[in-house]
């Protein structure tokens, strides 16, 4: 993910924390499995950030795998079959934490055994021979300073926190990354250490009974590249301010198409929060992260009705086709 893109930040952080989940990179090996049974629930894992101190320009991590740990199994190795795998990323997937600004980026969604969990492990790519995990400073943004992450490469960055997976429901947690606490400059040694104590687990909701979702796939015409897009969900009837807004980033997909997916959790229609509103989804796509003028025409969806506990695909069939 490229840095320095001016993200759209929703006015209410509470609404974001309660309802938003923007996803553009589902992992493999469990990253897209969402079926449930009487003994399983679906877990969606996202990552976001809190404001950082001003001398940090970026915090870049490359994640190979996301694993969750059931309560009582904290001593198991990350490759133990007793630990559910949420997503694996062949070759690693890069995340610039400071680009998220309270806007969760989905790392994976999969069905896992219902029950209590106490830990999320992020297995990071090694820093050799390629520098995969690093920070840059505001004063010298072109200089990459390596993060010291030996345990995160071997057994995972162990993020502690209790959460519950309810059977037959969509369960969502967000990893809230606080750079002020997670990034530690180690004085005379010159090391910059990544500490799991600077990341906390937030369970957004146990099911979709108090929210619905809108989802879709954004794609350009063949052979037309684009880098990122702002996705905004705005209530209509009556009109109101955006309830969620954030940035998603494109990925190359055969045949010769750049595309990405998103999902946004919002209050259902006729709820206490949104008593009568319908929604429109707006998408503005940009050629590269330095662009300030959209590359494609503004996309505006038809009026959409959101029902609690149900995912609604943006028509037609969840596909948003970018055009000139």
């Amino acid at each position: 993910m490229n840095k320095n893109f001016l993200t759209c930040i929703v006015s209410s952080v509470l609404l974001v924390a309660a309802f938003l989940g923007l996803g553009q990179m589902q992992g493999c090996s469990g990253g897209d499995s969402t079926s449930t049974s009487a003994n399983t629930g679906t877990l969606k894992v996202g990552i976001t950030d809190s404001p950082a101190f001003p001398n940090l320009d970026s915090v870049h991590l490359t994640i190979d795998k996301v694993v969750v740990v059931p309560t009582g199994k904290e001593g198991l190795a990350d490759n133990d079959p007793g630990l559910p795998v949420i997503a694996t990323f062949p070759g690693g997937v890069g995340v610039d934490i400071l680009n998220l600004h309270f806007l969760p980026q989905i790392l994976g969604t999969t069905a896992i055994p219902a029950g209590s969990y106490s830990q999320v492990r992020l297995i990071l790519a090694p820093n050799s021979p390629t520098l995969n995990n690093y920070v840059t400073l505001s004063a010298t943004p072109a200089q990459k300073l390596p993060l010291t992450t030996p345990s995160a490469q071997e057994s995972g960055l162990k993020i502690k926190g209790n959460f519950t997976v309810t059977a037959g429901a969509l369960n969502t947690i967000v990893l809230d990354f606080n750079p002020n606490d997670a990034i530690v400059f180690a004085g005379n040694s010159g090391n910059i250490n990544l500490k799991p104590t600077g990341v906390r687990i937030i369970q957004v909701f146990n099911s979709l009974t108090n929210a619905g979702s809108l989802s879709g796939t954004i794609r350009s015409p063949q052979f037309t590249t684009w880098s990122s897009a702002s996705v905004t969900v705005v209530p209509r009837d009556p009109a109101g301010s955006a309830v969620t807004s954030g940035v998603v980033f494109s990925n190359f997909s055969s045949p010769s198409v750049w595309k990405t997916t998103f999902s946004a959790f919002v209050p259902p229609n006729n709820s206490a929060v949104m008593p009568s509103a319908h929604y429109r989804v707006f998408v503005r796509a940009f050629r590269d992260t330095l662009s300030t003028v959209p590359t494609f025409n503004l996309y505006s969806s038809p009026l959409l009705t959101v029902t609690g506990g149900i995912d609604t695909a943006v028509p037609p069939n969840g596909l948003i086709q970018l055009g000139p």
Side-chain angles (χ1 to χ4, degrees):
M1 185 187 303
N2 296 323
K3 62 184 180 63
N4 292 334
F5 185 76
L6 180 60
T7 59
C8 299
I9 303 175
V10 73
S11 58
S12 170
V13 171
L14 291 178
L15 279 174
V16 172
F19 304 121
L20 176 65
L22 291 174
Q24 69 271 22
M25 23 167 252
Q26 296 293 340
C28 301
S29 302
D32 58 1
S33 174
T34 56
S35 61
T36 59
S37 69
N39 299 317
T40 66
T42 297
L43 181 65
K44 182 186 291 287
V45 178
I47 189 169
T48 187
D49 88 306
S50 302
F53 44 73
N55 67 326
L56 277 177
D57 185 67
S58 71
V59 176
H60 192 281
L61 305 180
T62 300
I63 301 171
D64 282 345
K65 185 166 65 171
V66 182
V67 177
V68 293
V69 179
T71 302
K73 295 186 177 181
E74 293 82 2
L76 296 182
D78 69 86
N79 59 354
D80 192 287
L83 302 186
V85 176
I86 302 302
T88 58
F89 302 102
V93 64
V95 179
D96 185 348
I97 299 296
L98 298 193
N99 258 336
L100 302 180
H101 300 295
F102 290 109
L103 303 178
Q105 176 172 318
I106 303 304
L107 296 177
T109 305
T110 194
I112 64 174
S116 298
Y117 290 78
S118 63
Q119 195 178 98
V120 176
R121 295 182 187 176
L122 299 181
I123 288 76
L124 303 184
N127 263 356
S128 176
T130 301
L131 185 60
N132 287 304
N133 309 292
Y134 59 86
V135 302
T136 62
L137 304 181
S138 300
T140 54
Q143 181 182 6
K144 298 177 181 180
L145 303 175
L147 275 173
T148 303
T149 60
S151 61
Q153 298 168 24
E154 297 164 4
S155 58
L157 186 72
K158 297 180 176 65
I159 303 164
K160 297 179 180 179
N162 298 318
F163 59 96
T164 302
V165 174
T166 302
L170 174 61
N171 306 265
T172 302
I173 62 172
V174 175
L175 307 179
D176 183 20
F177 192 106
N178 186 338
N180 294 340
D181 296 328
I183 306 301
V184 178
F185 292 81
N188 294 334
S189 70
N191 290 339
I192 305 174
N193 299 322
L194 177 62
K195 299 292 186 182
T197 51
V199 189
R200 62 179 180 140
I201 300 172
I202 300 174
Q203 183 144 23
V204 179
F205 45 77
N206 291 332
S207 70
L208 274 175
T209 56
N210 63 339
S213 64
L214 294 166
S215 64
T217 297
I218 304 167
R219 57 169 287 173
S220 64
Q222 282 191 327
F223 307 108
T224 304
T225 60
W226 60 286
S227 174
S228 57
S230 64
V231 179
T232 306
V233 181
V234 181
R236 290 288 189 265
D237 185 29
S241 301
V243 293
T244 65
S245 182
V247 173
V248 292
F249 295 83
S250 68
N251 297 286
F252 179 76
S253 176
S254 181
S256 303
V257 170
W258 289 84
K259 66 180 182 179
T260 191
T261 60
F262 74 91
S263 60
F265 295 101
V266 297
N269 300 112
N270 301 314
S271 66
V273 180
M274 292 291 174
S276 61
H278 295 80
Y279 294 96
R280 285 192 194 276
V281 175
F282 296 95
V283 177
R284 291 178 174 85
F286 299 83
R287 183 79 64 187
D288 58 60
T289 56
L290 298 179
S291 298
T292 58
V293 177
T295 302
F296 303 94
N297 288 340
L298 172 68
Y299 169 85
S300 175
S301 75
L303 282 176
L304 302 169
T305 299
V306 174
T307 303
I310 294 176
D311 179 71
T312 300
V314 177
N317 302 319
L319 181 63
I320 295 174
Q321 180 71 51
L322 301 174

